[in-house]
Amino acid sequence: MRKPFIAANWKMNNTVPEAIRFVTALTSDLKAISGVDVVIAPPFTALYSAGVALADTEFYLSSQNLFWEDSGAYTGEISGPFLADVGCRYAIVGHSERRQLFSETDETVNRRLKAALRNNLVPIMCVGETLAEREANQTWDVIRRQLDGGLSGIDLAALADFVIAYEPVWAIGTGKTATSGQAQEVHGLIRRYIADKFGSAVADKTRIIYGGSVKPSNSRELLSNPDIDGALVGGASLDPKQFAAIVRSAH
Ligand code: PGA
């Protein structure tokens, strides 16, 4: 049985005081929740203080990205050892905004995934197609290419934990959610891909989460699908009440 996984991707939102306020509100609201992995991914500047606020809770901290080298002359970058140092357990890698706005490729995603694993951070690897790709019936070709390239040289069978987020680009921040059927179809294909490549035991335990306009009104239905194990929540994760409602719907 896979434990549901609900992550808040705050993107470029929330200052330090806002992050602390959010975490305090959320943890007191969800004090009694169990059986769900709840993850908060603040911007780099709020990681430390959010981590301190999460210290005595069951919730986890994640970064939104990381650089592939561990240290050195890379002005402006943040690496795995720094993220582990502030208490991150997870690292989002290859989010579509990074791919589209910051020229990330499957090759740089692969380097970042390896850097996360080398530093004992569990990756949340994002994949997903654009609207044009979906309309040209290329959805699975694109996702398979992202998985092939991103996972090159990485053996999921050797890892205790690894999370894949399917996020159709056309559903991110647009209010358009993939239908439950569209999402389940791709999740099922991703799970079959993992089974073919790494074996069915690995496919059975790998959590594949959905992202793209998840909100309290649609999360329960999305999460009721057999291959949808959680959600990566952007917009609705900025309101502790809405995010808490999504966590509860996974319970
Ligand atoms: P959204 O973002 O929930 O605002 O669509 C999801 C994401 O980008 O992870």
Side-chain angles (χ1 to χ4, degrees):
M1 216 21 226
R2 294 179 293 274
K3 192 173 183 188
F5 186 100
I6 307 290
N9 174 13
W10 286 354
K11 309 191 179 184
M12 201 170 69
N13 294 289
N14 285 336
T15 61
V16 167
E18 286 165 347
I20 294 171
R21 238 183 349 260
F22 180 106
V23 169
T24 309
L26 185 77
T27 50
S28 81
D29 191 0
L30 290 179
K31 224 181 285 155
I33 201 96
S34 63
V36 183
D37 282 342
V38 181
V39 179
I40 312 287
F44 287 130
T45 46
L47 278 173
Y48 178 74
S49 38
V52 170
L54 288 171
D56 293 320
T57 74
E58 304 278 304
F59 300 175
Y60 297 108
L61 194 65
S62 175
S63 67
Q64 299 176 11
N65 187 24
L66 83 165
F67 189 54
W68 53 78
E69 297 292 345
D70 284 353
S71 67
Y74 302 103
T75 302
E77 293 298 322
I78 302 284
S79 70
F82 294 88
L83 299 173
D85 182 46
V86 292
C88 284
R89 158 119 181 206
Y90 293 93
I92 297 173
V93 176
H95 189 278
S96 65
E97 286 152 16
R98 307 261 359 139
R99 293 177 189 260
Q100 294 202 312
L101 303 172
F102 303 98
S103 309
E104 293 221 8
T105 62
D106 294 329
E107 201 237 321
T108 60
V109 167
N110 179 248
R111 295 174 84 174
R112 290 177 207 273
L113 289 172
K114 287 176 175 160
L117 295 168
R118 184 170 71 234
N119 288 290
N120 296 319
L121 297 163
V122 178
I124 303 171
M125 177 195 186
C126 302
V127 296
E129 81 288 3
T130 63
L131 185 58
E133 289 161 345
R134 175 163 280 268
E135 286 175 345
N137 289 322
Q138 291 168 348
T139 298
W140 180 243
D141 289 343
V142 168
I143 292 166
R144 190 177 44 211
R145 191 202 68 222
Q146 291 171 341
L147 291 168
D148 281 345
L151 294 175
S152 169
I154 295 173
D155 180 10
L156 293 197
L159 304 176
D161 198 4
F162 193 93
V163 179
I164 295 176
Y166 168 54
E167 298 205 304
V169 177
W170 48 273
I172 294 179
T174 58
K176 281 190 202 142
T177 320
T179 64
S180 178
Q182 283 171 324
Q184 166 57 32
E185 184 188 10
V186 175
H187 282 237
L189 290 169
I190 295 173
R191 200 172 307 284
R192 192 162 343 129
Y193 173 97
I194 298 170
D196 289 346
K197 201 157 170 175
F198 303 107
S200 57
V202 179
D204 282 347
K205 73 168 194 188
T206 300
R207 286 175 295 184
I208 307 172
I209 64 175
Y210 170 80
S213 299
V214 175
K215 34 191 185 276
S217 59
N218 61 23
S219 58
R220 194 173 291 281
E221 184 182 346
L222 284 160
L223 293 168
S224 69
N225 287 286
D227 290 304
I228 301 184
D229 305 316
L232 183 54
V233 187
S237 79
L238 296 175
D239 173 358
K241 285 206 170 61
Q242 285 196 45
F243 185 66
I246 294 169
V247 172
R248 285 203 182 83
S249 74
H251 191 233

